[in-house]
Every structure is written in C-alpha cells, then in structure tokens.
Amino acid sequence: VYGFLGDVNLFHGRAHEGLVHLEGMELDSPEHSAAQNAKAFAYVRPHDLDVQRYTAGSNIDADGQSRGIVAKLSRAIVVGPIARLELTPTETNQPADDNGKDNLIEAQISAQQYQEMNLKEGEVLVVTPRRARVFVDEGALI
C-alpha cells in the first residue's frame, strides 16, 4: 500500500532492539524496540533522501557506523524545479527485483541544488534517509 501512494525506495534489513540495519547502514527505529533480529522493510520517499558527494569516509559517522548508501549516479533528469536522480548502489546485498533489474535508488533534489553541486552522471554519491517508514515482520516478534 505504501508504494501504491507514490514513488518509494524499498530497503530490506533486520530490526533489533530499536535499530534497523539496512544495506550497511543503521537507522533508529524506537517504535520497534521489542524486535529481536526480525526481518524489516524500510520505505523512503525520493524527496526524503539527502544526497551528497562521496569522499573516502564521508558515509561514516562519529561512532564508525555507516550513515548512508554509496551509489553511482546513473541518470539525472531535470524537470522544472526538480532533479530526479537514478542511483545504483556500489555495494549491495539486495537481490534483483522480480523483473531481474538491479536495485535502483531514486532520489529527488531541487534543480537549484543539482546545478550548485554540478553533479555528473557516473559520479559517486552518498544517499542518506532523512525519514523512513519501517515495518517489521510481525511473525518474528511472536
């Protein structure tokens, strides 16, 4: 249902005691503090992804945890005030989807930010969720 309401990125991972581990990064999820290594899904809208240039170590926080997903800019489409970015994770443990496609991350930033950052296709970026909707496999909590 969440995907039906518009564009969304789906990330698979595990929830454990209020943290969700997704594709090498952690997200706080206090609403799932009872989860014990349960299967989890995180949905992130394209406009809820922060996009920055990647530099060595730029995706690591002060605690040594990965704070974002390193991805290559595959395609950028600027339409009016919005830049739609298609990114391919550089390292992923996620299988291809049912159609055999590699996982693609869709992000949206303002056209102004896109121009100011002077992004180029093929460039490596870090995308970090600002907000995610996390669902935990309820069967795992029984």
Side-chain angles (χ1 to χ4, degrees):
V1 172
Y2 201 78
F4 178 75
L5 298 175
D7 292 339
V8 67
N9 294 291
L10 171 61
F11 300 101
H12 300 268
R14 307 296 293 179
H16 186 72
E17 298 179 351
L19 287 177
V20 178
H21 304 273
L22 305 163
E23 299 195 20
M25 68 175 169
E26 282 186 350
L27 295 177
D28 288 326
S29 186
E31 69 273 22
H32 298 297
S33 60
Q36 296 293 316
N37 197 29
K39 187 175 184 179
F41 306 93
Y43 292 88
V44 181
R45 299 276 183 211
H47 60 271
D48 285 329
L49 286 170
D50 179 55
V51 177
Q52 299 295 323
R53 266 200 177 79
Y54 174 79
T55 55
S58 65
N59 65 323
I60 306 298
D61 67 15
D63 296 327
Q65 295 295 322
S66 179
R67 65 171 188 84
I69 298 170
V70 178
K72 183 173 74 170
L73 179 58
S74 301
R75 186 164 72 154
I77 304 163
V78 179
V79 180
I82 302 294
R84 296 180 58 96
L85 310 178
E86 294 180 358
L87 302 127
T88 306
T90 57
E91 294 180 16
T92 183
N93 297 325
Q94 301 297 316
D97 69 14
D98 294 338
N99 298 320
K101 294 181 184 175
D102 290 332
N103 287 322
L104 190 68
I105 299 171
E106 294 182 10
Q108 266 183 16
I109 59 175
S110 71
Q112 180 178 351
Q113 180 184 359
Y114 177 77
Q115 291 172 344
E116 288 171 358
M117 291 179 74
N118 194 28
L119 297 176
K120 305 284 186 234
E121 290 181 4
E123 196 165 0
V124 179
L125 306 172
V126 175
V127 292
T128 308
R130 287 190 289 263
R131 182 173 41 191
R133 180 67 174 107
V134 176
F135 296 91
V136 172
D137 183 349
E138 296 298 325
L141 297 176
I142 297 173

